[in-house]
Each structure stands twice: as C-alpha cells, then as structure tokens.
Amino acid sequence: MRREDGRSAPGDDVEAVLDELYALPPSDFVARREERAARARTRRRAEDARRIHAARRPTLAGWAANLLRRSRPDEARRFLELGRALREAYATLDPGGLKELSAQRRRIVSEMSRQAAALAREAGHPLSDAVLRDVETTLRAVLADPEAAAVWEAGRVEGVLTPPSEFGAEAVAAAPARREPPAPARTPRGDTAAARKKDAAARRKDAAAERRRAELRERAARAREERRAAEARLGERRAAREEAAAALAEAGEREREAGERVAALEEQLDRARTERERARSGLGEARERDRTAARDLTGAERAAAAAALRADKAEQAEQAEQAERGGA
C-alpha cells in the first residue's frame, strides 16, 4: 500500500522487510519470507515481491554475525573502523602499523566472537564450535574485505564470508624488505672479462629466479582466488542445504497437521455415518408407526361413522314411537 506522498506504508518498504527477515533466526526465515512476498504480490508490488522472495536464508553463523551487528552497534562501528585502518596499513605496507593493528585484530575478533556466541545462546540458538569458527572467519573477512564489511554493516550476512588474505603478523612477514643495491665488487684489471662473464651469469640466474618468483606469486594468487570461489560455493551449498532442510521440515509439519485434520474429519465422518444409520432406522420405525396409526385412524373413523348412523336410527325410531303414543 502506498501513502499519498508516494512512499511505502510502514511495514511495506522492501528494505525494512529485508532487515526484518535477516534479524530472524534461520528456522523462522523461510515462512516469514514467503508471507512477506505474498503480501507484496497481493498489493501488486511485483518487484518488491521478487526481491523479497530472492532473499536467501542465512546460515546459523550468518544469523549470529547479523545478530552481533544489530545488538552491539557501538562495538560494530569500532570494529568497522579497525578494518578500514588495517586495510589502509596493509595497502601502504607499514609493518609497524600492521603489527600493532593485527594484535588488535586478534583480540577484538576473539571478543566479538564470544559476544556473538553469548547473544545466540540468549536467543535460544547456541553455537557449535564449527559454527563459531565460521563466525570468526566472517569477522576476519569484515576486517580484510570492504565488500564483506558492507554486507555485515547492512546486517544481511547469508553465509560464511571469507577473507581474501590474512592480516596481522602474517602480513608483516609478507611485507617486502627494502634491499640496498649491492656495492660493485672491485676486481683486478686482469680479471675484467671473467668478472663480466660472472656478472652476466648472475644476472641470468637472478632473472630466472625472479621469473620463478613471479610464477609462484601468480600461482598463489590463482590458488587463493580458487579457494575463495570454492569456499563461496561451499557457503552457497550449505545455505541451500539448510534452506532445503528447513523447507523439508516445514513441509513435514504441514503434512503432519494435514494428516491430523484428515484423521479428525474421518472420525467425524464415521460418527456422521453412524448417526445417519440410526436416523434411517428411526425413520423406518416412524414410518411403520405412521402407517399403523393411519390404519387405526381409518378403522376408528369407520367405527365412529357406523356408531353415529346407528345412533341416528335409534333416535329416529324412538321419536316415531313417541309420536304414535301421542296420537293414541
């Protein structure tokens, strides 16, 4: 429903609906999503209905991360600021800043994960060790990846967010150290040709080593990208499996309820059939009593008519006799 100013009425805005959905525990997500999508379709908001129906049910880890974001806004803001600082430090390859911020990262990720576990437990959905590890992985991704940070900041994490690379001490170790160019070696004049030959061989060796390092870096980058893609697919499959399991459980519950209703209706039908048989039996007995009463009534009517006729004749005879006596 639209208000006169053209905006959606409260409770109809698609963004508000999505916020509502991702605040729900995974077990309640699908039913509420279908309810909201059907409501949007009923109100002829096809695009909103499509967006709502396309919302994917979050995993338990995704829901816990969203719960943390919504329940601890101040801590979440500071956590996002830390992530921006870490990414900036990594981009500038500042080993000192990386070392200090990575220590904060480990400490805060651990603390935020404990808070998420406590919040989930209070909400009636305790987290297993595996799910808690997924929450920690997601929080590390929020620090490392601006896209992951945006998803978490919106409170709409669906599955495990995977960091593109590790930050902290590992990044410090990976930061390239500055190399001073080697001082040219002094060689006697007689060894100039040999020195040039040796230098050329060293340069070839260095070039081959650099090519090898470049190949290794490229291979490692591809492997990391493949790992991210595989983990993303794994998260999607997990979410799809959980959604399918939830749909199966919901369908099973509906089937059980329908079975109970069918059993109740069959019991009512059996009682109604029994009542109908009794009614039929009573109807037959009533019809027989009616026929008997009709016969009895006919007989009584005939007897009454005959008695009336006899009475009239007797009265007429008596009157005639009285008349004869009076004339005499």
Side-chain angles (χ1 to χ4, degrees), residues 231-268:
E231 289 175 345
R233 288 193 297 271
L234 176 60
E236 291 174 358
R237 298 300 181 270
R238 283 175 176 169
R241 176 64 180 84
E242 291 183 4
E243 185 168 347
L248 176 61
E250 185 178 353
E253 180 64 18
R254 288 199 301 269
E255 192 276 337
R256 184 188 63 78
E257 293 175 353
E260 292 177 352
R261 290 196 297 273
V262 167
L265 290 173
E266 287 177 344
E267 185 178 352
Q268 292 179 10

mmCIF file of all heavy atoms in Angstrom, residues 231-268:
data_model
loop_
_atom_site.group_PDB
_atom_site.id
_atom_site.type_symbol
_atom_site.label_atom_id
_atom_site.label_comp_id
_atom_site.label_asym_id
_atom_site.label_seq_id
_atom_site.Cartn_x
_atom_site.Cartn_y
_atom_site.Cartn_z
ATOM 1 N N GLU A 231 35.191 -21.771 -1.516
ATOM 2 C CA GLU A 231 34.559 -21.539 -0.220
ATOM 3 C C GLU A 231 33.231 -20.807 -0.384
ATOM 4 O O GLU A 231 32.281 -21.061 0.362
ATOM 5 C CB GLU A 231 35.509 -20.740 0.679
ATOM 6 C CG GLU A 231 36.709 -21.542 1.158
ATOM 7 C CD GLU A 231 37.698 -20.705 1.942
ATOM 8 O OE1 GLU A 231 37.600 -19.464 1.883
ATOM 9 O OE2 GLU A 231 38.575 -21.295 2.617
ATOM 10 N N ALA A 232 33.167 -19.891 -1.369
ATOM 11 C CA ALA A 232 31.898 -19.207 -1.626
ATOM 12 C C ALA A 232 30.848 -20.207 -2.101
ATOM 13 O O ALA A 232 29.694 -20.177 -1.661
ATOM 14 C CB ALA A 232 32.091 -18.111 -2.672
ATOM 15 N N ARG A 233 31.279 -21.114 -3.020
ATOM 16 C CA ARG A 233 30.334 -22.144 -3.472
ATOM 17 C C ARG A 233 29.922 -23.044 -2.322
ATOM 18 O O ARG A 233 28.739 -23.431 -2.213
ATOM 19 C CB ARG A 233 30.967 -22.970 -4.596
ATOM 20 C CG ARG A 233 31.087 -22.241 -5.922
ATOM 21 C CD ARG A 233 31.415 -23.204 -7.053
ATOM 22 N NE ARG A 233 32.701 -23.850 -6.851
ATOM 23 C CZ ARG A 233 33.857 -23.359 -7.291
ATOM 24 N NH1 ARG A 233 33.874 -22.212 -7.953
ATOM 25 N NH2 ARG A 233 34.994 -24.009 -7.096
ATOM 26 N N LEU A 234 30.890 -23.382 -1.470
ATOM 27 C CA LEU A 234 30.564 -24.218 -0.317
ATOM 28 C C LEU A 234 29.554 -23.519 0.583
ATOM 29 O O LEU A 234 28.583 -24.139 1.051
ATOM 30 C CB LEU A 234 31.839 -24.529 0.471
ATOM 31 C CG LEU A 234 31.651 -25.329 1.771
ATOM 32 C CD1 LEU A 234 31.021 -26.682 1.487
ATOM 33 C CD2 LEU A 234 32.976 -25.496 2.498
ATOM 34 N N GLY A 235 29.768 -22.205 0.819
ATOM 35 C CA GLY A 235 28.807 -21.466 1.632
ATOM 36 C C GLY A 235 27.435 -21.441 0.999
ATOM 37 O O GLY A 235 26.417 -21.586 1.681
ATOM 38 N N GLU A 236 27.403 -21.263 -0.337
ATOM 39 C CA GLU A 236 26.120 -21.264 -1.029
ATOM 40 C C GLU A 236 25.433 -22.621 -0.905
ATOM 41 O O GLU A 236 24.225 -22.696 -0.672
ATOM 42 C CB GLU A 236 26.329 -20.929 -2.506
ATOM 43 C CG GLU A 236 26.760 -19.483 -2.750
ATOM 44 C CD GLU A 236 27.086 -19.226 -4.208
ATOM 45 O OE1 GLU A 236 27.004 -20.203 -5.011
ATOM 46 O OE2 GLU A 236 27.418 -18.078 -4.552
ATOM 47 N N ARG A 237 26.231 -23.680 -1.061
ATOM 48 C CA ARG A 237 25.633 -25.027 -0.958
ATOM 49 C C ARG A 237 25.135 -25.296 0.463
ATOM 50 O O ARG A 237 24.082 -25.910 0.651
ATOM 51 C CB ARG A 237 26.664 -26.091 -1.359
ATOM 52 C CG ARG A 237 27.160 -25.984 -2.789
ATOM 53 C CD ARG A 237 26.029 -26.123 -3.798
ATOM 54 N NE ARG A 237 26.523 -26.053 -5.164
ATOM 55 C CZ ARG A 237 26.640 -24.942 -5.866
ATOM 56 N NH1 ARG A 237 26.291 -23.781 -5.312
ATOM 57 N NH2 ARG A 237 27.084 -24.961 -7.109
ATOM 58 N N ARG A 238 25.919 -24.823 1.453
ATOM 59 C CA ARG A 238 25.457 -25.008 2.828
ATOM 60 C C ARG A 238 24.154 -24.271 3.072
ATOM 61 O O ARG A 238 23.215 -24.800 3.685
ATOM 62 C CB ARG A 238 26.520 -24.500 3.802
ATOM 63 C CG ARG A 238 27.696 -25.441 3.996
ATOM 64 C CD ARG A 238 28.744 -24.797 4.881
ATOM 65 N NE ARG A 238 29.850 -25.700 5.182
ATOM 66 C CZ ARG A 238 30.974 -25.328 5.749
ATOM 67 N NH1 ARG A 238 31.155 -24.044 6.083
ATOM 68 N NH2 ARG A 238 31.935 -26.210 5.994
ATOM 69 N N ALA A 239 24.097 -23.012 2.598
ATOM 70 C CA ALA A 239 22.878 -22.229 2.785
ATOM 71 C C ALA A 239 21.708 -22.874 2.060
ATOM 72 O O ALA A 239 20.600 -22.951 2.593
ATOM 73 C CB ALA A 239 23.094 -20.797 2.283
ATOM 74 N N ALA A 240 21.970 -23.358 0.820
ATOM 75 C CA ALA A 240 20.904 -24.019 0.065
ATOM 76 C C ALA A 240 20.449 -25.291 0.775
ATOM 77 O O ALA A 240 19.246 -25.584 0.835
ATOM 78 C CB ALA A 240 21.392 -24.347 -1.349
ATOM 79 N N ARG A 241 21.422 -26.037 1.336
ATOM 80 C CA ARG A 241 21.064 -27.275 2.053
ATOM 81 C C ARG A 241 20.243 -26.961 3.295
ATOM 82 O O ARG A 241 19.251 -27.634 3.595
ATOM 83 C CB ARG A 241 22.355 -28.020 2.435
ATOM 84 C CG ARG A 241 22.110 -29.276 3.268
ATOM 85 C CD ARG A 241 21.340 -30.322 2.491
ATOM 86 N NE ARG A 241 21.108 -31.510 3.275
ATOM 87 C CZ ARG A 241 20.122 -31.691 4.130
ATOM 88 N NH1 ARG A 241 19.242 -30.727 4.320
ATOM 89 N NH2 ARG A 241 20.002 -32.827 4.800
ATOM 90 N N GLU A 242 20.660 -25.930 4.028
ATOM 91 C CA GLU A 242 19.909 -25.560 5.224
ATOM 92 C C GLU A 242 18.515 -25.068 4.858
ATOM 93 O O GLU A 242 17.546 -25.361 5.550
ATOM 94 C CB GLU A 242 20.666 -24.493 6.008
ATOM 95 C CG GLU A 242 21.943 -25.008 6.662
ATOM 96 C CD GLU A 242 22.622 -23.939 7.494
ATOM 97 O OE1 GLU A 242 22.076 -22.829 7.621
ATOM 98 O OE2 GLU A 242 23.715 -24.217 8.034
ATOM 99 N N GLU A 243 18.422 -24.303 3.748
ATOM 100 C CA GLU A 243 17.105 -23.824 3.324
ATOM 101 C C GLU A 243 16.222 -24.992 2.900
ATOM 102 O O GLU A 243 15.036 -25.042 3.222
ATOM 103 C CB GLU A 243 17.266 -22.831 2.172
ATOM 104 C CG GLU A 243 15.960 -22.199 1.741
ATOM 105 C CD GLU A 243 16.161 -21.020 0.807
ATOM 106 O OE1 GLU A 243 17.302 -20.549 0.694
ATOM 107 O OE2 GLU A 243 15.166 -20.572 0.211
ATOM 108 N N ALA A 244 16.834 -25.953 2.173
ATOM 109 C CA ALA A 244 16.069 -27.127 1.759
ATOM 110 C C ALA A 244 15.627 -27.941 2.971
ATOM 111 O O ALA A 244 14.493 -28.442 3.024
ATOM 112 C CB ALA A 244 16.917 -27.992 0.819
ATOM 113 N N ALA A 245 16.538 -28.064 3.959
ATOM 114 C CA ALA A 245 16.177 -28.807 5.172
ATOM 115 C C ALA A 245 15.051 -28.110 5.918
ATOM 116 O O ALA A 245 14.125 -28.756 6.436
ATOM 117 C CB ALA A 245 17.406 -28.949 6.076
ATOM 118 N N ALA A 246 15.116 -26.770 5.964
ATOM 119 C CA ALA A 246 14.049 -26.019 6.629
ATOM 120 C C ALA A 246 12.733 -26.179 5.884
ATOM 121 O O ALA A 246 11.669 -26.354 6.490
ATOM 122 C CB ALA A 246 14.425 -24.546 6.726
ATOM 123 N N ALA A 247 12.802 -26.132 4.536
ATOM 124 C CA ALA A 247 11.585 -26.317 3.740
ATOM 125 C C ALA A 247 11.026 -27.726 3.926
ATOM 126 O O ALA A 247 9.807 -27.921 4.011
ATOM 127 C CB ALA A 247 11.888 -26.057 2.265
ATOM 128 N N LEU A 248 11.945 -28.714 4.003
ATOM 129 C CA LEU A 248 11.505 -30.096 4.238
ATOM 130 C C LEU A 248 10.827 -30.220 5.593
ATOM 131 O O LEU A 248 9.766 -30.847 5.716
ATOM 132 C CB LEU A 248 12.705 -31.030 4.152
ATOM 133 C CG LEU A 248 12.436 -32.510 4.472
ATOM 134 C CD1 LEU A 248 11.428 -33.081 3.491
ATOM 135 C CD2 LEU A 248 13.724 -33.313 4.453
ATOM 136 N N ALA A 249 11.429 -29.629 6.618
ATOM 137 C CA ALA A 249 10.835 -29.688 7.951
ATOM 138 C C ALA A 249 9.474 -28.994 7.974
ATOM 139 O O ALA A 249 8.514 -29.491 8.575
ATOM 140 C CB ALA A 249 11.779 -29.039 8.969
ATOM 141 N N GLU A 250 9.406 -27.849 7.284
ATOM 142 C CA GLU A 250 8.140 -27.119 7.241
ATOM 143 C C GLU A 250 7.071 -27.923 6.503
ATOM 144 O O GLU A 250 5.920 -28.007 6.939
ATOM 145 C CB GLU A 250 8.362 -25.774 6.547
ATOM 146 C CG GLU A 250 7.141 -24.873 6.538
ATOM 147 C CD GLU A 250 7.426 -23.533 5.883
ATOM 148 O OE1 GLU A 250 8.602 -23.271 5.572
ATOM 149 O OE2 GLU A 250 6.475 -22.772 5.670
ATOM 150 N N ALA A 251 7.480 -28.536 5.357
ATOM 151 C CA ALA A 251 6.534 -29.365 4.606
ATOM 152 C C ALA A 251 6.102 -30.577 5.432
ATOM 153 O O ALA A 251 4.927 -30.970 5.417
ATOM 154 C CB ALA A 251 7.173 -29.820 3.292
ATOM 155 N N GLY A 252 7.056 -31.165 6.159
ATOM 156 C CA GLY A 252 6.710 -32.297 7.021
ATOM 157 C C GLY A 252 5.719 -31.910 8.104
ATOM 158 O O GLY A 252 4.784 -32.663 8.418
ATOM 159 N N GLU A 253 5.912 -30.713 8.659
ATOM 160 C CA GLU A 253 4.997 -30.231 9.692
ATOM 161 C C GLU A 253 3.607 -29.994 9.101
ATOM 162 O O GLU A 253 2.590 -30.341 9.710
ATOM 163 C CB GLU A 253 5.545 -28.930 10.301
ATOM 164 C CG GLU A 253 4.685 -28.336 11.394
ATOM 165 C CD GLU A 253 4.572 -29.229 12.627
ATOM 166 O OE1 GLU A 253 5.406 -30.131 12.782
ATOM 167 O OE2 GLU A 253 3.631 -29.016 13.421
ATOM 168 N N ARG A 254 3.580 -29.390 7.893
ATOM 169 C CA ARG A 254 2.273 -29.172 7.249
ATOM 170 C C ARG A 254 1.593 -30.504 6.941
ATOM 171 O O ARG A 254 0.373 -30.638 7.103
ATOM 172 C CB ARG A 254 2.454 -28.366 5.969
ATOM 173 C CG ARG A 254 2.803 -26.901 6.198
ATOM 174 C CD ARG A 254 2.515 -26.064 4.950
ATOM 175 N NE ARG A 254 3.268 -26.541 3.811
ATOM 176 C CZ ARG A 254 4.466 -26.108 3.468
ATOM 177 N NH1 ARG A 254 5.046 -25.168 4.182
ATOM 178 N NH2 ARG A 254 5.097 -26.578 2.408
ATOM 179 N N GLU A 255 2.400 -31.491 6.481
ATOM 180 C CA GLU A 255 1.814 -32.803 6.174
ATOM 181 C C GLU A 255 1.269 -33.456 7.432
ATOM 182 O O GLU A 255 0.192 -34.077 7.403
ATOM 183 C CB GLU A 255 2.893 -33.681 5.523
ATOM 184 C CG GLU A 255 2.371 -34.960 4.890
ATOM 185 C CD GLU A 255 2.215 -36.101 5.885
ATOM 186 O OE1 GLU A 255 2.887 -36.064 6.934
ATOM 187 O OE2 GLU A 255 1.410 -37.011 5.623
ATOM 188 N N ARG A 256 2.010 -33.311 8.539
ATOM 189 C CA ARG A 256 1.533 -33.893 9.795
ATOM 190 C C ARG A 256 0.229 -33.230 10.240
ATOM 191 O O ARG A 256 -0.731 -33.915 10.636
ATOM 192 C CB ARG A 256 2.596 -33.708 10.876
ATOM 193 C CG ARG A 256 2.239 -34.379 12.208
ATOM 194 C CD ARG A 256 3.230 -34.001 13.290
ATOM 195 N NE ARG A 256 3.197 -32.568 13.567
ATOM 196 C CZ ARG A 256 2.252 -31.980 14.295
ATOM 197 N NH1 ARG A 256 1.259 -32.690 14.820
ATOM 198 N NH2 ARG A 256 2.289 -30.677 14.514
ATOM 199 N N GLU A 257 0.185 -31.893 10.160
ATOM 200 C CA GLU A 257 -1.026 -31.180 10.553
ATOM 201 C C GLU A 257 -2.198 -31.558 9.654
ATOM 202 O O GLU A 257 -3.323 -31.741 10.127
ATOM 203 C CB GLU A 257 -0.783 -29.673 10.497
ATOM 204 C CG GLU A 257 0.211 -29.179 11.548
ATOM 205 C CD GLU A 257 0.517 -27.704 11.390
ATOM 206 O OE1 GLU A 257 0.060 -27.107 10.383
ATOM 207 O OE2 GLU A 257 1.213 -27.140 12.262
ATOM 208 N N ALA A 258 -1.919 -31.665 8.330
ATOM 209 C CA ALA A 258 -2.984 -32.059 7.403
ATOM 210 C C ALA A 258 -3.468 -33.471 7.718
ATOM 211 O O ALA A 258 -4.667 -33.760 7.666
ATOM 212 C CB ALA A 258 -2.485 -31.971 5.962
ATOM 213 N N GLY A 259 -2.521 -34.365 8.059
ATOM 214 C CA GLY A 259 -2.902 -35.730 8.424
ATOM 215 C C GLY A 259 -3.786 -35.755 9.660
ATOM 216 O O GLY A 259 -4.762 -36.521 9.738
ATOM 217 N N GLU A 260 -3.436 -34.915 10.629
ATOM 218 C CA GLU A 260 -4.265 -34.838 11.834
ATOM 219 C C GLU A 260 -5.663 -34.338 11.508
ATOM 220 O O GLU A 260 -6.658 -34.836 12.035
ATOM 221 C CB GLU A 260 -3.593 -33.925 12.869
ATOM 222 C CG GLU A 260 -2.309 -34.498 13.458
ATOM 223 C CD GLU A 260 -1.650 -33.543 14.421
ATOM 224 O OE1 GLU A 260 -2.116 -32.381 14.520
ATOM 225 O OE2 GLU A 260 -0.674 -33.945 15.092
ATOM 226 N N ARG A 261 -5.734 -33.309 10.615
ATOM 227 C CA ARG A 261 -7.049 -32.798 10.231
ATOM 228 C C ARG A 261 -7.848 -33.847 9.481
ATOM 229 O O ARG A 261 -9.060 -33.999 9.694
ATOM 230 C CB ARG A 261 -6.897 -31.544 9.371
ATOM 231 C CG ARG A 261 -6.399 -30.328 10.129
ATOM 232 C CD ARG A 261 -6.633 -29.047 9.334
ATOM 233 N NE ARG A 261 -5.898 -29.023 8.090
ATOM 234 C CZ ARG A 261 -4.651 -28.584 7.958
ATOM 235 N NH1 ARG A 261 -3.998 -28.148 9.024
ATOM 236 N NH2 ARG A 261 -4.058 -28.586 6.784
ATOM 237 N N VAL A 262 -7.159 -34.606 8.589
ATOM 238 C CA VAL A 262 -7.850 -35.671 7.851
ATOM 239 C C VAL A 262 -8.376 -36.730 8.811
ATOM 240 O O VAL A 262 -9.518 -37.200 8.692
ATOM 241 C CB VAL A 262 -6.890 -36.310 6.815
ATOM 242 C CG1 VAL A 262 -7.483 -37.602 6.265
ATOM 243 C CG2 VAL A 262 -6.624 -35.325 5.679
ATOM 244 N N ALA A 263 -7.547 -37.118 9.791
ATOM 245 C CA ALA A 263 -7.980 -38.124 10.766
ATOM 246 C C ALA A 263 -9.191 -37.625 11.554
ATOM 247 O O ALA A 263 -10.148 -38.383 11.794
ATOM 248 C CB ALA A 263 -6.825 -38.453 11.717
ATOM 249 N N ALA A 264 -9.146 -36.344 11.956
ATOM 250 C CA ALA A 264 -10.276 -35.785 12.699
ATOM 251 C C ALA A 264 -11.534 -35.761 11.835
ATOM 252 O O ALA A 264 -12.635 -36.093 12.299
ATOM 253 C CB ALA A 264 -9.935 -34.381 13.186
ATOM 254 N N LEU A 265 -11.367 -35.373 10.555
ATOM 255 C CA LEU A 265 -12.524 -35.328 9.659
ATOM 256 C C LEU A 265 -13.060 -36.732 9.384
ATOM 257 O O LEU A 265 -14.287 -36.932 9.291
ATOM 258 C CB LEU A 265 -12.134 -34.650 8.347
ATOM 259 C CG LEU A 265 -11.859 -33.138 8.444
ATOM 260 C CD1 LEU A 265 -11.313 -32.615 7.126
ATOM 261 C CD2 LEU A 265 -13.126 -32.381 8.832
ATOM 262 N N GLU A 266 -12.145 -37.709 9.242
ATOM 263 C CA GLU A 266 -12.602 -39.083 9.029
ATOM 264 C C GLU A 266 -13.371 -39.596 10.246
ATOM 265 O O GLU A 266 -14.377 -40.301 10.109
ATOM 266 C CB GLU A 266 -11.407 -39.987 8.735
ATOM 267 C CG GLU A 266 -10.814 -39.770 7.347
ATOM 268 C CD GLU A 266 -9.585 -40.631 7.110
ATOM 269 O OE1 GLU A 266 -9.038 -41.148 8.119
ATOM 270 O OE2 GLU A 266 -9.180 -40.786 5.939
ATOM 271 N N GLU A 267 -12.883 -39.225 11.440
ATOM 272 C CA GLU A 267 -13.608 -39.618 12.653
ATOM 273 C C GLU A 267 -14.991 -38.970 12.691
ATOM 274 O O GLU A 267 -15.989 -39.625 13.028
ATOM 275 C CB GLU A 267 -12.789 -39.202 13.877
ATOM 276 C CG GLU A 267 -13.398 -39.668 15.193
ATOM 277 C CD GLU A 267 -12.527 -39.289 16.378
ATOM 278 O OE1 GLU A 267 -11.403 -38.805 16.156
ATOM 279 O OE2 GLU A 267 -12.993 -39.475 17.522
ATOM 280 N N GLN A 268 -15.042 -37.673 12.311
ATOM 281 C CA GLN A 268 -16.344 -37.003 12.264
ATOM 282 C C GLN A 268 -17.253 -37.656 11.225
ATOM 283 O O GLN A 268 -18.464 -37.812 11.448
ATOM 284 C CB GLN A 268 -16.147 -35.527 11.922
ATOM 285 C CG GLN A 268 -15.459 -34.724 13.016
ATOM 286 C CD GLN A 268 -15.261 -33.284 12.614
ATOM 287 O OE1 GLN A 268 -15.798 -32.830 11.605
ATOM 288 N NE2 GLN A 268 -14.460 -32.562 13.380
#
